[in-house]
Amino acid sequence: RAMFAVLLLFAIWFIVPLFRKVIGLSTYEYFEKRFGGFAGNYSSYSFIIRQFAGMGTVLFLISVGVGARYVIHVGGIDWAEELPKQVFPWFIMSGVVLAVRGGNHIAVDLIMRVLSPALRTALVVFINAVVAVAYVMLCKTALDLAIIAAAEINPVLGTPGSLPFYALAIGSILTAIGAASIAVRVFILGADAA
């Protein structure tokens, strides 16, 4: 966890300012330059409204659960706790797999600009190979945990507690396949094929 904090601080203090200096555009600035002032303002305000709506929805649902538990003394709303536990991992892993498949996952390419094509190819192949191995290991761990969690049955939905772990396992193996295919494609075609 400490290493994650160090990497996060490094990204905040070094990578983001360097990116802003080199690229110089946010998404909203790009929309404004590409489609005009209305598009830039529309996208900015849409983002702000969406963020507030999302926060409001989450706070409302939490308030309903707390109100049901402590104000009207019914012990909470069981499905409001069980359903997100069962469904969200499937949505999250689907998004991860689609991002890797489409090449839209997070990447820092500032280093790539200064490397030679051969070094870029080697670095992309190495990174994707490491990612593939890491996701295979995550898949194995998720399957081990699914076996343990299978004994837990959710009272309202009647589903085993292992379902979210299977989402993680399936998403992990698909992400590993995606990363491995990127590594092979880049090895054969070069760094620009990433």
Side-chain angles (χ1 to χ4, degrees):
R1 292 183 185 197
M3 189 60 184
F4 177 74
V6 170
L7 289 174
L8 186 61
L9 291 174
F10 175 75
I12 290 170
W13 289 331
F14 181 72
I15 300 294
V16 172
L18 182 62
F19 178 80
R20 292 281 185 198
K21 189 185 300 181
V22 173
I23 303 299
L25 288 179
S26 71
T27 305
Y28 312 109
E29 289 173 321
Y30 172 76
F31 284 146
E32 187 172 346
K33 286 185 178 183
R34 176 77 170 90
F35 302 109
F38 176 77
N41 288 333
Y42 179 78
S43 61
S44 298
Y45 293 130
S46 296
F47 176 76
I48 291 169
I49 290 168
R50 187 248 172 259
Q51 290 299 100
F52 279 113
M55 288 187 302
T57 302
V58 168
L59 290 174
F60 175 74
L61 291 176
I62 290 171
S63 300
V64 168
V66 169
R69 178 169 289 162
Y70 296 109
V71 176
I72 57 176
H73 305 290
V74 295
I77 301 172
D78 291 334
W79 64 266
E81 294 177 19
E82 288 182 19
L83 191 61
K85 269 191 341 188
Q86 299 296 316
V87 175
F88 284 170
W90 292 96
F91 288 145
I92 291 167
M93 290 312 296
S94 298
V96 169
V97 171
L98 289 174
V100 169
R101 183 178 174 266
N104 299 322
H105 52 289
I106 296 173
V108 178
D109 62 348
L110 295 175
I111 296 171
M112 298 294 191
R113 295 179 185 183
V114 297
L115 295 177
S116 69
L119 283 176
R120 270 198 315 257
T121 299
L123 185 60
V124 170
V125 168
F126 174 74
I127 288 172
N128 280 287
V130 168
V131 167
V133 169
Y135 272 101
V136 167
M137 292 170 59
L138 180 60
C139 176
K140 184 197 178 315
T141 303
L143 290 173
D144 291 343
L145 290 173
I147 293 168
I148 296 168
E152 176 187 319
I153 302 297
N154 293 303
V156 174
L157 299 176
T159 57
S162 59
L163 288 180
F165 294 102
Y166 287 125
L168 183 59
I170 292 168
S172 295
I173 204 66
L174 291 173
T175 303
I177 291 168
S181 68
I182 291 171
V184 169
R185 183 173 65 228
V186 169
F187 181 75
I188 293 171
L189 300 174
D192 294 332

